[in-house]
Every structure is written in structure tokens, then in C-alpha cells.
Short mmCIF file of all heavy atoms in Angstrom, two decimals:
data_model
loop_
_atom_site.label_atom_id
_atom_site.label_comp_id
_atom_site.label_asym_id
_atom_site.label_seq_id
_atom_site.Cartn_x
_atom_site.Cartn_y
_atom_site.Cartn_z
N ASN T 16 24.76 -42.54 59.04
CA ASN T 16 24.48 -43.82 59.68
C ASN T 16 25.74 -44.69 59.64
O ASN T 16 26.40 -44.79 58.61
CB ASN T 16 23.32 -44.53 58.96
CG ASN T 16 22.78 -45.69 59.77
OD1 ASN T 16 23.50 -46.66 60.03
ND2 ASN T 16 21.52 -45.62 60.14
N SER T 17 26.05 -45.33 60.78
CA SER T 17 27.30 -46.10 60.89
C SER T 17 27.15 -47.57 60.53
O SER T 17 28.11 -48.32 60.60
CB SER T 17 27.85 -45.98 62.31
OG SER T 17 26.95 -46.54 63.25
N ALA T 18 25.93 -48.00 60.10
CA ALA T 18 25.67 -49.42 59.88
C ALA T 18 26.63 -50.03 58.86
O ALA T 18 27.21 -51.09 59.09
CB ALA T 18 24.23 -49.63 59.45
N ARG T 19 26.80 -49.37 57.73
CA ARG T 19 27.65 -49.93 56.67
C ARG T 19 29.11 -49.97 57.10
O ARG T 19 29.86 -50.88 56.74
CB ARG T 19 27.48 -49.14 55.38
CG ARG T 19 28.14 -49.75 54.18
CD ARG T 19 27.82 -49.00 52.91
NE ARG T 19 26.60 -49.49 52.30
CZ ARG T 19 26.09 -49.00 51.16
NH1 ARG T 19 26.67 -47.98 50.56
NH2 ARG T 19 24.99 -49.51 50.65
N ALA T 20 29.52 -48.99 57.89
CA ALA T 20 30.90 -48.99 58.39
C ALA T 20 31.11 -50.17 59.33
O ALA T 20 32.20 -50.77 59.36
CB ALA T 20 31.20 -47.67 59.12
N HIS T 21 30.08 -50.54 60.10
CA HIS T 21 30.20 -51.72 60.96
C HIS T 21 30.29 -52.99 60.12
O HIS T 21 30.99 -53.95 60.50
CB HIS T 21 28.98 -51.81 61.89
CG HIS T 21 29.06 -50.88 63.07
ND1 HIS T 21 30.01 -51.02 64.06
CD2 HIS T 21 28.33 -49.79 63.40
CE1 HIS T 21 29.84 -50.08 64.97
NE2 HIS T 21 28.83 -49.31 64.59
N GLU T 22 29.62 -53.02 58.99
CA GLU T 22 29.75 -54.17 58.09
C GLU T 22 31.19 -54.29 57.60
O GLU T 22 31.74 -55.40 57.50
CB GLU T 22 28.78 -54.03 56.92
CG GLU T 22 27.31 -54.11 57.31
CD GLU T 22 26.40 -53.87 56.11
OE1 GLU T 22 26.68 -54.42 55.03
OE2 GLU T 22 25.41 -53.12 56.26
N LEU T 23 31.80 -53.16 57.27
CA LEU T 23 33.20 -53.17 56.87
C LEU T 23 34.09 -53.72 57.97
O LEU T 23 35.03 -54.49 57.71
CB LEU T 23 33.64 -51.75 56.49
CG LEU T 23 35.15 -51.56 56.20
CD1 LEU T 23 35.57 -52.38 54.99
CD2 LEU T 23 35.47 -50.08 55.99
N LEU T 24 33.79 -53.35 59.21
CA LEU T 24 34.57 -53.84 60.33
C LEU T 24 34.50 -55.35 60.46
O LEU T 24 35.50 -56.01 60.77
CB LEU T 24 34.09 -53.18 61.63
CG LEU T 24 34.65 -51.79 61.92
CD1 LEU T 24 33.90 -51.15 63.07
CD2 LEU T 24 36.14 -51.87 62.25
N HIS T 25 33.34 -55.93 60.21
CA HIS T 25 33.21 -57.39 60.29
C HIS T 25 34.00 -58.06 59.17
O HIS T 25 34.59 -59.12 59.36
CB HIS T 25 31.75 -57.79 60.25
CG HIS T 25 31.10 -57.75 61.59
ND1 HIS T 25 31.19 -58.79 62.50
CD2 HIS T 25 30.38 -56.78 62.22
CE1 HIS T 25 30.54 -58.47 63.61
NE2 HIS T 25 30.05 -57.25 63.47
N SER T 26 34.02 -57.44 58.02
CA SER T 26 34.83 -57.97 56.92
C SER T 26 36.30 -57.94 57.30
O SER T 26 37.04 -58.91 57.07
CB SER T 26 34.58 -57.14 55.66
OG SER T 26 35.42 -57.57 54.60
N ALA T 27 36.72 -56.85 57.91
CA ALA T 27 38.12 -56.72 58.33
C ALA T 27 38.46 -57.69 59.46
O ALA T 27 39.57 -58.22 59.53
CB ALA T 27 38.39 -55.28 58.77
N LYS T 28 37.49 -57.94 60.36
CA LYS T 28 37.73 -58.84 61.48
C LYS T 28 38.08 -60.24 61.00
O LYS T 28 38.95 -60.91 61.58
CB LYS T 28 36.49 -58.90 62.37
CG LYS T 28 36.65 -59.73 63.64
CD LYS T 28 35.32 -60.00 64.32
CE LYS T 28 34.69 -58.75 64.84
NZ LYS T 28 33.48 -59.05 65.67
N GLU T 29 37.43 -60.69 59.95
CA GLU T 29 37.72 -62.03 59.43
C GLU T 29 39.13 -62.18 58.91
O GLU T 29 39.66 -63.28 58.80
CB GLU T 29 36.74 -62.35 58.30
CG GLU T 29 35.32 -62.62 58.75
CD GLU T 29 34.43 -63.15 57.64
OE1 GLU T 29 34.88 -63.15 56.47
OE2 GLU T 29 33.29 -63.55 57.92
N ARG T 30 39.79 -61.06 58.61
CA ARG T 30 41.13 -61.09 58.06
C ARG T 30 42.17 -60.50 59.02
O ARG T 30 43.28 -60.18 58.63
CB ARG T 30 41.16 -60.34 56.73
CG ARG T 30 40.35 -61.07 55.65
CD ARG T 30 39.81 -60.11 54.59
NE ARG T 30 38.96 -60.84 53.64
CZ ARG T 30 37.69 -61.16 53.86
NH1 ARG T 30 37.12 -60.82 55.01
NH2 ARG T 30 36.99 -61.81 52.95
N GLY T 31 41.78 -60.36 60.29
CA GLY T 31 42.71 -59.87 61.30
C GLY T 31 43.08 -58.41 61.16
O GLY T 31 44.14 -57.99 61.63
N LEU T 32 42.22 -57.62 60.52
CA LEU T 32 42.52 -56.22 60.27
C LEU T 32 41.53 -55.27 60.95
O LEU T 32 41.44 -54.09 60.60
CB LEU T 32 42.54 -55.94 58.76
CG LEU T 32 43.60 -56.70 57.96
CD1 LEU T 32 43.36 -56.54 56.46
CD2 LEU T 32 44.99 -56.21 58.34
N ALA T 33 40.80 -55.77 61.92
CA ALA T 33 39.74 -54.97 62.55
C ALA T 33 40.28 -53.73 63.22
O ALA T 33 39.69 -52.65 63.13
CB ALA T 33 38.97 -55.82 63.55
N ASP T 34 41.43 -53.84 63.91
CA ASP T 34 41.95 -52.69 64.63
C ASP T 34 42.38 -51.58 63.68
O ASP T 34 42.10 -50.40 63.93
CB ASP T 34 43.12 -53.08 65.53
CG ASP T 34 43.45 -52.00 66.53
OD1 ASP T 34 42.75 -51.91 67.57
OD2 ASP T 34 44.38 -51.21 66.28
N ALA T 35 43.02 -51.94 62.60
CA ALA T 35 43.46 -50.93 61.63
C ALA T 35 42.28 -50.22 61.00
O ALA T 35 42.30 -48.99 60.82
CB ALA T 35 44.33 -51.58 60.55
N VAL T 36 41.24 -50.98 60.66
CA VAL T 36 40.07 -50.39 60.04
C VAL T 36 39.31 -49.53 61.05
O VAL T 36 38.85 -48.43 60.72
CB VAL T 36 39.15 -51.48 59.44
CG1 VAL T 36 37.80 -50.90 59.05
CG2 VAL T 36 39.82 -52.12 58.24
N LYS T 37 39.18 -50.01 62.29
CA LYS T 37 38.47 -49.22 63.31
C LYS T 37 39.19 -47.90 63.56
O LYS T 37 38.55 -46.85 63.68
CB LYS T 37 38.37 -50.04 64.61
CG LYS T 37 37.53 -49.38 65.71
CD LYS T 37 36.10 -49.22 65.23
CE LYS T 37 35.18 -48.71 66.36
NZ LYS T 37 34.86 -49.75 67.33
N GLU T 38 40.50 -47.94 63.65
CA GLU T 38 41.29 -46.74 63.85
C GLU T 38 41.07 -45.74 62.70
O GLU T 38 40.87 -44.54 62.93
CB GLU T 38 42.76 -47.09 63.97
CG GLU T 38 43.69 -45.90 64.17
CD GLU T 38 43.55 -45.25 65.53
OE1 GLU T 38 43.12 -45.91 66.48
OE2 GLU T 38 43.89 -44.05 65.65
N ALA T 39 41.10 -46.25 61.47
CA ALA T 39 40.92 -45.39 60.30
C ALA T 39 39.53 -44.78 60.26
O ALA T 39 39.35 -43.60 59.92
CB ALA T 39 41.19 -46.17 59.02
N LEU T 40 38.52 -45.55 60.62
CA LEU T 40 37.14 -45.05 60.60
C LEU T 40 36.94 -43.97 61.68
O LEU T 40 36.33 -42.92 61.41
CB LEU T 40 36.17 -46.20 60.83
CG LEU T 40 35.99 -47.18 59.68
CD1 LEU T 40 35.16 -48.38 60.13
CD2 LEU T 40 35.35 -46.51 58.48
N LEU T 41 37.43 -44.23 62.88
CA LEU T 41 37.28 -43.26 63.95
C LEU T 41 38.03 -41.97 63.66
O LEU T 41 37.51 -40.86 63.85
CB LEU T 41 37.75 -43.86 65.27
CG LEU T 41 36.87 -44.94 65.89
CD1 LEU T 41 37.59 -45.67 67.00
CD2 LEU T 41 35.56 -44.33 66.42
N SER T 42 39.25 -42.12 63.19
CA SER T 42 40.05 -40.94 62.87
C SER T 42 39.42 -40.16 61.71
O SER T 42 39.30 -38.93 61.74
CB SER T 42 41.48 -41.34 62.50
OG SER T 42 42.24 -40.21 62.12
N GLY T 43 38.99 -40.89 60.68
CA GLY T 43 38.36 -40.24 59.54
C GLY T 43 37.10 -39.50 59.95
O GLY T 43 36.87 -38.35 59.51
N HIS T 44 36.29 -40.10 60.78
CA HIS T 44 35.02 -39.50 61.17
C HIS T 44 35.20 -38.29 62.07
O HIS T 44 34.56 -37.23 61.83
CB HIS T 44 34.17 -40.55 61.90
CG HIS T 44 32.80 -40.08 62.28
ND1 HIS T 44 31.87 -39.62 61.36
CD2 HIS T 44 32.17 -40.00 63.50
CE1 HIS T 44 30.75 -39.28 61.98
NE2 HIS T 44 30.91 -39.49 63.28
N PHE T 45 36.04 -38.39 63.08
CA PHE T 45 36.15 -37.30 64.07
C PHE T 45 37.26 -36.29 63.79
O PHE T 45 37.20 -35.18 64.31
CB PHE T 45 36.35 -37.91 65.47
CG PHE T 45 35.11 -38.55 66.00
CD1 PHE T 45 35.04 -39.94 66.12
CD2 PHE T 45 34.02 -37.80 66.38
CE1 PHE T 45 33.88 -40.55 66.59
CE2 PHE T 45 32.87 -38.39 66.86
CZ PHE T 45 32.80 -39.77 66.96
N GLU T 46 38.23 -36.66 62.98
CA GLU T 46 39.34 -35.75 62.75
C GLU T 46 39.42 -35.19 61.33
O GLU T 46 40.02 -34.14 61.11
CB GLU T 46 40.67 -36.45 63.07
CG GLU T 46 40.80 -36.89 64.53
CD GLU T 46 42.12 -37.58 64.83
OE1 GLU T 46 42.45 -38.59 64.15
OE2 GLU T 46 42.86 -37.08 65.72
N HIS T 47 38.85 -35.91 60.36
CA HIS T 47 39.08 -35.53 58.96
C HIS T 47 37.83 -35.38 58.12
O HIS T 47 37.92 -35.28 56.89
CB HIS T 47 40.01 -36.57 58.31
CG HIS T 47 41.31 -36.75 59.05
ND1 HIS T 47 42.27 -35.76 59.10
CD2 HIS T 47 41.78 -37.79 59.77
CE1 HIS T 47 43.29 -36.19 59.83
NE2 HIS T 47 43.02 -37.41 60.25
N GLY T 48 36.66 -35.32 58.73
CA GLY T 48 35.43 -35.07 57.99
C GLY T 48 35.07 -36.14 56.99
O GLY T 48 34.42 -35.88 55.97
N MET T 49 35.41 -37.39 57.27
CA MET T 49 35.06 -38.49 56.38
C MET T 49 33.60 -38.84 56.50
O MET T 49 33.02 -38.82 57.59
CB MET T 49 35.92 -39.72 56.73
CG MET T 49 35.54 -40.97 55.98
SD MET T 49 36.40 -42.43 56.63
CE MET T 49 35.47 -43.73 55.82
N ASP T 50 32.99 -39.19 55.39
CA ASP T 50 31.58 -39.63 55.37
C ASP T 50 31.55 -41.14 55.55
O ASP T 50 31.79 -41.89 54.61
CB ASP T 50 30.94 -39.22 54.05
CG ASP T 50 29.45 -39.56 53.99
OD1 ASP T 50 28.97 -40.28 54.89
OD2 ASP T 50 28.78 -39.11 53.05
N ILE T 51 31.24 -41.61 56.76
CA ILE T 51 31.27 -43.05 57.05
C ILE T 51 30.07 -43.78 56.47
O ILE T 51 29.95 -45.00 56.60
CB ILE T 51 31.35 -43.33 58.56
CG1 ILE T 51 30.13 -42.74 59.30
CG2 ILE T 51 32.66 -42.81 59.14
CD1 ILE T 51 30.07 -43.13 60.77
N GLY T 52 29.18 -43.05 55.80
CA GLY T 52 28.07 -43.68 55.12
C GLY T 52 28.29 -43.83 53.63
O GLY T 52 27.47 -44.43 52.92
N ASP T 53 29.41 -43.31 53.14
CA ASP T 53 29.70 -43.32 51.70
C ASP T 53 30.44 -44.60 51.30
O ASP T 53 31.50 -44.91 51.86
CB ASP T 53 30.53 -42.09 51.34
CG ASP T 53 30.84 -42.02 49.85
OD1 ASP T 53 29.94 -41.63 49.08
OD2 ASP T 53 31.97 -42.38 49.46
N LEU T 54 29.91 -45.32 50.36
CA LEU T 54 30.47 -46.61 49.95
C LEU T 54 31.92 -46.47 49.48
O LEU T 54 32.79 -47.23 49.89
CB LEU T 54 29.61 -47.23 48.84
CG LEU T 54 30.15 -48.52 48.23
CD1 LEU T 54 30.23 -49.63 49.29
CD2 LEU T 54 29.26 -48.98 47.07
#
């Protein structure tokens, strides 16, 4: 489930880091087998 990862994105957005976090999440999920539901 991507809900918690979206919460992380909102945290990053407040600090101007949304693009870096979104890139890392997408790359991790589709290229590196990252578990986007793991805290």
C-alpha cells in the first residue's frame, strides 16, 4: 500500500524536497525492489 509513502511525500513537500523523495520512491519501487510500505 502506497498510503504511508504519500505521507512521507507531504512531509518532504513542506521542506522543498518533494521531487527528491518522489524520485527515490519511484526508483526504489520499480527498479530496486524497495518495500514502500515499510516504515
Side-chain angles (χ1 to χ4, degrees):
N16 193 298
S17 62
R19 189 174 272 180
H21 281 294
E22 294 177 42
L23 173 63
L24 277 169
H25 275 277
S26 176
K28 184 192 295 187
E29 288 189 351
R30 293 153 184 81
L32 297 171
D34 194 80
V36 169
K37 186 62 174 284
E38 179 70 24
L40 288 171
L41 288 167
S42 177
H44 183 59
F45 288 109
E46 298 181 303
H47 304 292
M49 173 189 168
D50 184 349
I51 60 172
D53 182 78
L54 175 63

